[in-house]
Amino acid sequence: DGCIKAVGQADVIRNEFSEAVFERIIDCSGKCVLPGLVDAHTHPVWAGDRVHEFAMKLAGASYMEIHQAGGGIHFTVEHTRKATEDELFTGLQQRLGRMLRAGSTLVECKSGYGLNLETELKMLRVIERARKSTDIGISSTYCGAHAVPKGKTATEATDDIINNHLPKLKELKLSGEIHVNNIDVFCEKGVFDLESTRRILQAGKDIGLQINFHGDELHPMKSAELGAELGARAISHLEEVSDEGIVAMAKAKCAAVLLPTTAYMLRLKQPPARKMLEEGVIVALGSDFNPNAYCFSMPMVMHLACVNMKMSMNEALAAATINAAYALGKSDTHGSLEVGKQGDLLIINSSRWEHLIYQFGGHESLINYVIVKGKVIYENERCETMSSY
């Protein structure tokens, strides 16, 4: 059934299953078996890359300066609106394939480059197609409040989402046409303020969506306090979170999805991971894959978390597996190797799992097998002919 039947010492397992017949046996001598990685925050559906903006950033332009010059999210929105559903689906399939080969077996996927009902639904349909047709696990997020559409105020955009987008989403959810798990808002100065964010998140919660939103990234907005109050499952970014917000999240068991790639690429201050861990916050990691932070690899995210956010390798592994699964409301089925959980695992070509983090960018030769629901879906022949050291 794709679930783990037994976990334990080799000799005990051999005795227990001595009479069993297996379709396939993989020799893992000198190798490590790990849970499949979970990427708790991605924006993988879009058209039109922003490689030209990377040059602007390197020359010193800030995120908001690029945004105000018609770049950033609005550039991607324009291209995504023009793209066909098939074009978007092809792009998403290729990106998910790259994530899978880097060890991710469960990925959160957001809409949010439509900013109108028609394109947001187009993106969610693309995510739904991928959910049904690809091996990788998907948690789907409606992120219609990713930016304020041109020609609208934040209040008008909020009203449109609450009065038009969410009722339509509820209807499509009930008919089984689209499965959406989470609701997201970019709570930020000059985007959606605290009150608009509260209204949208509450309306999403009312139709059965988990709250999982962008908060306290560029300015302290008291997003963490709001999330804790609304019973949010997770909040992402949190570079500018307050001490009170950290305490509130710990009490509310609201996960912090930290995105070391974003702070690295935008040269922001890193989120206070150590302080969160000391206060007992459930810390998860995500790649934030999007045209602004182009990274598919959770092993690289874990490496950056250790170096730049001062997490230990054990903390980073937990944050990219069981805690990231928790942030998506899936820790009962994903994120660890336990009896009854889904058989999602990695086999790496090293006797020490730490090589997955230590070898920055080395995952392409380290990840030997990716297994989802007990089936090998990626096998890396290069590992058979080379030592990982």
Side-chain angles (χ1 to χ4, degrees):
D1 60 0
C3 294
I4 296 171
K5 194 82 178 156
V7 178
Q9 294 295 328
D11 49 356
V12 177
I13 299 281
R14 279 201 189 97
N15 285 340
E16 191 181 338
F17 293 92
S18 57
E19 304 300 312
V21 177
F22 295 96
E23 284 171 37
R24 180 168 186 187
I25 293 172
I26 298 172
D27 182 357
C28 295
S29 309
K31 298 183 180 183
C32 270
V33 182
L34 290 168
L37 304 177
V38 180
D39 189 340
H41 183 125
T42 81
H43 301 258
V45 185
W46 45 267
D49 69 39
R50 304 214 300 257
V51 68
H52 59 288
E53 285 180 16
F54 190 53
M56 290 165 73
K57 283 200 285 277
L58 296 177
S62 75
Y63 177 88
M64 279 321 233
E65 281 164 358
I66 292 169
H67 190 70
Q68 278 148 8
I73 291 171
H74 291 303
F75 178 87
T76 306
V77 167
E78 200 179 308
H79 285 76
T80 306
R81 284 179 178 178
K82 286 178 190 159
T84 67
E85 203 169 302
D86 284 344
E87 285 166 345
L88 292 175
F89 178 65
T90 301
L92 174 61
Q93 268 188 314
Q94 288 167 349
R95 289 165 192 158
L96 290 174
R98 288 178 72 177
M99 290 175 182
L100 194 70
R101 292 191 293 278
S104 294
T105 55
L106 173 62
V107 175
E108 184 261 8
C109 298
K110 302 178 191 291
S111 71
Y113 292 120
L115 309 185
N116 60 26
L117 180 57
E118 181 195 348
T119 316
E120 289 297 314
L121 290 179
K122 177 171 72 174
M123 293 180 76
L124 290 169
R125 279 197 302 273
V126 165
I127 294 169
E128 182 66 13
R129 271 174 75 181
R131 199 181 68 80
K132 287 178 173 160
S133 65
T134 53
D135 293 302
I136 203 163
I138 288 176
S139 177
S140 171
T141 301
Y142 163 75
C143 185
H146 196 195
V148 178
K150 286 180 177 172
K152 275 197 168 92
T153 65
T155 306
E156 287 165 346
T158 302
D159 290 342
D160 184 34
I161 286 165
I162 292 168
N163 300 327
N164 300 312
H165 291 215
L166 290 174
K168 185 67 183 168
L169 217 54
K170 183 182 179 183
E171 182 191 311
L172 293 170
K173 254 170 71 83
L174 288 172
S175 71
E177 218 172 302
I178 290 178
H179 290 79
V180 182
N181 306 97
N182 316 290
I183 182 151
D184 191 352
V185 174
F186 186 15
C187 180
E188 185 52 74
K189 196 173 167 184
V191 192
F192 290 92
D193 66 14
L194 209 61
E195 198 40 51
S196 297
T197 301
R198 175 194 296 278
R199 288 179 59 209
I200 295 168
L201 293 177
Q202 187 59 54
K205 190 179 180 181
D206 293 345
I207 65 163
L209 300 175
Q210 292 182 127
I211 295 175
N212 186 339
F213 71 111
H214 291 61
D216 295 329
E217 179 185 358
L218 305 170
H219 299 91
M221 299 286 293
K222 295 203 182 302
S223 303
E225 291 89 328
L226 174 69
E229 181 198 325
L230 293 178
R233 169 54 65 163
I235 307 170
S236 289
H237 282 294
L238 300 164
E239 287 85 353
E240 297 288 346
V241 67
S242 69
D243 291 351
E244 296 76 17
I246 291 174
V247 171
M249 285 179 73
K251 274 204 188 109
K253 293 191 165 41
C254 170
V257 179
L258 305 185
L259 310 168
T261 44
T262 315
Y264 164 72
M265 289 189 203
L266 293 178
R267 296 170 173 159
L268 302 174
K269 92 177 178 201
Q270 295 284 337
R274 284 261 50 90
K275 194 170 180 66
M276 290 177 182
L277 289 160
E278 280 151 21
E279 291 290 348
V281 175
I282 297 161
V283 172
L285 289 170
S287 67
D288 196 16
F289 171 77
N290 74 76
N292 182 51
Y294 207 104
C295 175
F296 294 107
S297 164
M298 285 304 289
M300 290 176 88
V301 169
M302 290 190 282
H303 176 100
L304 289 170
C306 293
V307 174
N308 289 340
M309 300 195 319
K310 302 182 170 60
M311 290 173 75
S312 71
M313 286 194 281
N314 287 1
E315 287 165 343
L317 182 66
T321 52
I322 190 70
N323 291 1
Y326 174 88
L328 303 178
K330 289 187 180 281
S331 53
D332 53 339
T333 51
H334 293 71
S336 58
L337 302 179
E338 295 180 71
V339 173
K341 283 199 172 183
Q342 191 168 300
D344 291 6
L345 41 125
L346 308 182
I347 298 169
I348 69 164
N349 186 32
S350 169
S351 58
R352 291 192 57 160
W353 69 265
E354 290 93 341
H355 272 269
L356 197 58
I357 296 176
Y358 162 64
Q359 293 189 21
F360 188 45
H363 57 272
E364 287 184 356
S365 299
L366 264 174
I367 294 174
N368 200 163
Y369 297 89
V370 179
I371 294 168
V372 173
K373 293 183 184 167
K375 293 210 166 16
V376 174
I377 52 169
Y378 171 59
E379 186 172 347
N380 185 352
E381 275 87 20
R382 272 185 299 185
C383 289
E384 301 308 328
T385 56
M386 63 191 296
S387 156
S388 67
Y389 300 105

